[in-house]
Amino acid sequence: MSTPVQTPTQQLQVVTAQPKRIPILGRLSPEGWMVLPTVLVLLAVSIYPFLYMIRMSFFEYSPLPQVPSKFVGLGNWVQMLQDQAIWASWLTTAWYFGAALTLQLVLGVAIALLIEHTPYFRDALATILLSPMFVAPVLVGLLWRFLLHDSYGVYTYFLHEIGLLNNVSILGDPRTAMPAVVLMDTWEWTPLVVIVVLSGLRALPHDVLEASVVDGSSYWQQVRYITLPMLRPVILVAALIRSMDLLRYIDHLMVTTAGGPADSTKIIGIRIFEEAFRFFRLGYASALGLAMIVVTIFLGRLFVNVLGEEQGAPGA
Amino acid sequence: MPSIRRNPKRLLTTAIILALDLIVLAWFAFPLLWMFLSALKTQAGMFTMPPRWIFEPTLANFQILLDRGALLYFRNSLVASLGAVVVATTLGSLAGYGLARGRFRHTKDISWWIITTRMAPIPAVLVPLYGIFRGVGLLNTLPGLIVAFTTFSLPLAVWLMMSFFRDVPKELEEAVWVDGGTVFQSFWNVALPLVTPGLIATATLSFIFAWNDYLFATVLTSGPTQTLPVVTASLQTMHGVVWGQVMSMGTLIFVPVLLLGVAIRKYLVRGLTLGAIK
């Protein structure tokens, strides 16, 4: 949108024009009143459950709803810190998180560059490519379980045809289960990185890239020293979004490995889900969940700070 | 720049690029193609190895799903997702505008709190929600599920609408104020009509995330209040693994969402990065 040339009179209006105030609204500004319903709803669905969860973490619950819960003080917290299985789960989470994030960022940037240099059907290619993102995470799990099925999975068949993993149950073997679920998540979410990086590439100033061609730098030098550094903020945003959602979603894992075999894919989210809804140890699950939320809050702060700098807002 | 035909080196580069494109395309598209094909196969036909590419398609799987009452779960999914969309877009538009235009002492803190709500890990959010819902009787109800979906759809809507409202030049609204209008009047008559495409994109994304949810629905609903993804996941245990029905149900869940997603393609990057990248 082009900004109209302003005459001095118009500028004067810009300064003086103020919305009409309605006295009965009191001290809160009209904008405040517009934010208020959301704040109240989020207090009810986010802050209240959060406080409730802190309270729950001091109690021991019975699987039977009619049996009253028992106050155990810091019992759940002490148990959490001493629980080897929980520490192992955090380590598994770190592996899953690190492998998936790295793979998705590297592949995402590479595929975005590839598409940018594709001479034909670029948009059609990009559109087909982004479809995995729209598959419900639980369907991704079911679909990949079908593809990797031991006896009639079509991917299993392909792998066997080229002589790989012949006597291995891909999702049932601790050595292959983790790589398989990482690839599964990568299949769904690399497209997100691709379209984010593509939009970043489109926004790059072309005179800089052309100047570097004139200087005689090779394509790879250009990518390494000009394109990638300029894409840094965009890649950072993609990395943050992926980080949050890697911790957030366990749907696809629940229907493939459910944390197994032998806990090899039991990331912390699955552990919480199990404690809460399989063993109904809601108090212990609350302590674990709170620990996980602390990690998220840290990531959220990072997100707002980074985005605040990128777009000069919110209220930065 | 020399044309492709006259420059062998350039021709080779193009060939390599196209070959890589094909690999990428196969990797991303094949699983979906396989889902569509498997949905159209008979239960026996889908397990033949090597896989059969030419076969007589059948809609038998879809028929079985209808006979089993899939329409009820379709309705549940629709009601819960649309409910979340209505709550999120209504409150989100108001709050997004307020945060974009208003001057508060703690705008940054409010935005951060709102975004943290959207990012909180679902397993962790579910634990207290389950406890609370059990106490107040919201367990196994669609309104309960809508409340649960609000935890992520409302923050998404607030952030997106805030980003869209920031693009509206304040000068346009001042015309209303000069005539003695209120903030709400300029919001309703000027700002909101200008961000209609953004509002549609926001509503669509809220819908997609709610429609695709499995974890909330599998814990908070049961029996007649289940949604499509929950039923799909449970098909695998009812009578052994009925993969044909799972793939048919998958197709039914996926295709509407894909069409919606492609329709808002222009706003996808912005929507998925919560307004960070335009």
Side-chain angles (χ1 to χ4, degrees):
Chain A
M1 197 176 287
S2 66
T3 35
V5 183
Q6 289 179 336
T7 64
T9 5
Q10 275 174 324
Q11 273 178 348
L12 196 66
Q13 279 180 349
V14 167
V15 176
T16 52
Q18 288 292 328
K20 189 181 152 199
R21 296 267 152 185
I22 301 173
I24 52 160
L25 292 182
R27 287 183 58 201
L28 194 57
S29 68
E31 290 88 353
W33 280 99
M34 293 169 89
V35 182
L36 191 65
T38 294
V39 170
L40 292 179
V41 168
L42 286 180
L43 275 177
V45 300
S46 138
I47 294 292
Y48 174 65
F50 181 70
L51 297 175
Y52 192 82
M53 197 178 186
I54 294 176
R55 184 179 174 277
M56 282 171 84
S57 74
F58 298 124
F59 285 84
E60 194 183 295
Y61 287 78
S62 160
L64 304 166
Q66 50 281 33
V67 179
S69 49
K70 196 175 83 196
F71 184 77
V72 289
L74 288 172
N76 289 319
W77 292 92
V78 173
Q79 190 194 344
M80 177 179 87
L81 293 174
Q82 291 174 342
D83 195 336
Q84 289 303 315
I86 297 302
W87 290 108
S89 260
W90 278 110
L91 190 65
T92 311
T93 309
W95 277 114
Y96 171 73
F97 182 91
L101 187 64
T102 310
L103 204 55
Q104 290 168 24
L105 288 178
V106 171
L107 278 176
V109 171
I111 293 171
L113 287 171
L114 176 70
I115 291 180
E116 190 66 5
H117 291 288
T118 299
Y120 322 104
F121 307 118
R122 205 187 297 176
D123 284 337
L125 185 67
T127 305
I128 295 174
L129 224 66
L130 56 85
S131 39
M133 279 195 302
F134 296 110
V135 186
V138 69
L139 279 181
V140 172
L142 292 169
L143 183 56
W144 278 79
R145 199 177 132 184
F146 184 50
L147 292 167
L148 296 175
H149 194 279
D150 290 343
S151 42
Y152 43 79
V154 66
Y155 274 10
T156 315
Y157 171 80
F158 290 156
L159 285 169
H160 289 182
E161 283 296 293
I162 57 171
L164 284 175
L165 301 172
N166 251 317
N167 295 308
V168 178
S169 165
I170 296 169
L171 288 171
D173 189 307
R175 289 166 303 171
T176 48
M178 179 59 105
V181 295
V182 166
L183 277 180
M184 176 169 84
D185 194 83
T186 301
W187 174 76
E188 175 161 35
W189 291 111
T190 301
L192 176 97
V193 184
V194 173
I195 61 166
V196 167
V197 172
L198 265 180
S199 76
L201 277 171
R202 304 261 151 96
L204 288 187
H206 282 276
D207 45 347
V208 178
L209 297 179
E210 273 160 26
S212 72
V213 174
V214 175
D215 289 346
S217 63
S218 77
Y219 174 73
W220 296 111
Q221 281 173 330
Q222 187 187 319
V223 167
R224 168 73 182 79
Y225 296 105
I226 299 171
T227 315
L228 285 183
M230 283 167 88
L231 283 175
R232 210 185 89 98
V234 172
I235 297 173
L236 197 59
V237 169
L240 277 168
I241 300 276
R242 282 312 303 139
S243 305
M244 297 174 322
D245 282 352
L246 273 169
L247 292 175
R248 183 172 159 79
Y249 287 103
I250 57 165
D251 306 33
H252 52 321
L253 298 180
M254 288 308 293
V255 293
T256 42
T257 62
D263 285 1
S264 60
T265 60
K266 194 158 286 174
I267 59 173
I268 195 74
I270 297 179
R271 182 77 67 177
I272 295 171
F273 192 88
E274 258 185 3
E275 290 291 346
F277 305 113
R278 230 175 96 197
F279 310 129
F280 288 97
R281 297 170 58 194
L282 292 171
Y284 193 44
S286 296
L288 295 177
L290 284 165
M292 198 177 179
I293 284 176
V294 169
V295 175
T296 316
I297 287 175
F298 173 74
L299 277 172
R301 195 83 243 188
L302 200 65
F303 187 87
V304 171
N305 285 339
V306 169
L307 295 197
E309 277 159 34
E310 300 301 329
Q311 59 179 24
Chain B
M1 209 169 273
S3 86
I4 292 169
R5 280 189 192 83
R6 271 186 281 151
N7 190 334
K9 198 184 164 199
R10 205 168 165 77
L11 186 69
L12 182 68
T13 313
T14 308
I16 293 173
I17 286 174
L18 290 177
L20 289 172
D21 279 335
L22 274 181
I23 295 172
V24 167
L25 195 63
W27 163 250
F28 286 107
F30 181 80
L32 295 172
L33 184 71
W34 194 245
M35 176 169 80
F36 296 146
L37 287 177
S38 303
L40 298 173
K41 287 181 182 177
T42 58
Q43 184 75 8
M46 56 196 314
F47 305 132
T48 49
M49 287 294 152
R52 204 168 289 166
W53 300 98
I54 312 289
F55 58 93
E56 204 169 309
T58 166
L59 291 175
N61 289 317
F62 293 95
Q63 187 60 50
I64 297 172
L65 290 176
L66 278 180
D67 293 345
R68 282 225 187 128
L71 277 179
L72 171 71
Y73 307 115
F74 184 84
R75 191 207 64 139
N76 290 345
S77 274
L78 206 60
V79 169
S81 309
L82 287 178
V85 167
V86 170
V87 174
T89 48
T90 311
L91 299 183
S93 300
L94 286 166
Y97 179 87
L99 286 171
R101 283 283 189 267
R103 256 173 255 142
F104 306 103
R105 243 168 300 164
H106 300 291
T107 315
K108 196 169 178 174
D109 293 320
I110 296 173
S111 324
W112 167 67
W113 167 47
I114 292 174
I115 200 75
T116 309
T117 313
R118 151 68 179 81
M119 298 174 346
I122 298 174
V125 175
L126 264 171
V127 177
L129 274 189
Y130 178 81
I132 294 168
F133 280 17
R134 195 168 66 172
V136 299
L138 276 174
L139 220 51
N140 304 329
T141 66
L142 287 182
L145 195 56
I146 294 174
V147 170
F149 286 170
T150 304
T151 61
F152 59 84
S153 60
L154 181 55
L156 174 83
V158 171
W159 264 67
L160 279 183
M161 291 314 292
M162 180 167 75
S163 138
F164 285 116
F165 279 123
R166 283 224 176 87
D167 290 353
V168 176
K170 213 171 179 176
E171 290 76 22
L172 294 173
E173 291 183 64
E174 278 164 354
V176 177
W177 300 339
V178 168
D179 295 337
T182 60
V183 167
F184 189 78
Q185 280 169 332
S186 66
F187 158 77
W188 186 257
N189 295 324
V190 179
L192 197 59
L194 284 173
V195 298
T196 306
L199 186 66
I200 293 172
T202 304
T204 309
L205 274 180
S206 309
F207 181 86
I208 292 176
F209 283 119
W211 179 262
N212 279 349
D213 163 76
Y214 163 74
L215 217 56
F216 279 109
T218 195
V219 171
L220 301 176
T221 69
S222 68
T225 53
Q226 283 180 331
T227 59
L228 283 178
V230 178
V231 171
T232 310
S234 69
L235 282 171
Q236 55 176 322
T237 46
M238 282 198 309
H239 301 280
V241 189
V242 276
W243 285 111
Q245 288 170 44
V246 171
M247 294 301 129
S248 310
M249 199 71 122
T251 306
L252 288 178
I253 297 172
F254 170 62
V255 171
V257 163
L258 179 69
L259 296 177
L260 286 174
V262 172
I264 57 153
R265 170 81 201 278
K266 204 180 141 194
Y267 297 97
L268 212 51
V269 169
R270 190 167 180 174
L272 291 169
T273 58
L274 299 162
I277 295 167
K278 285 167 191 162

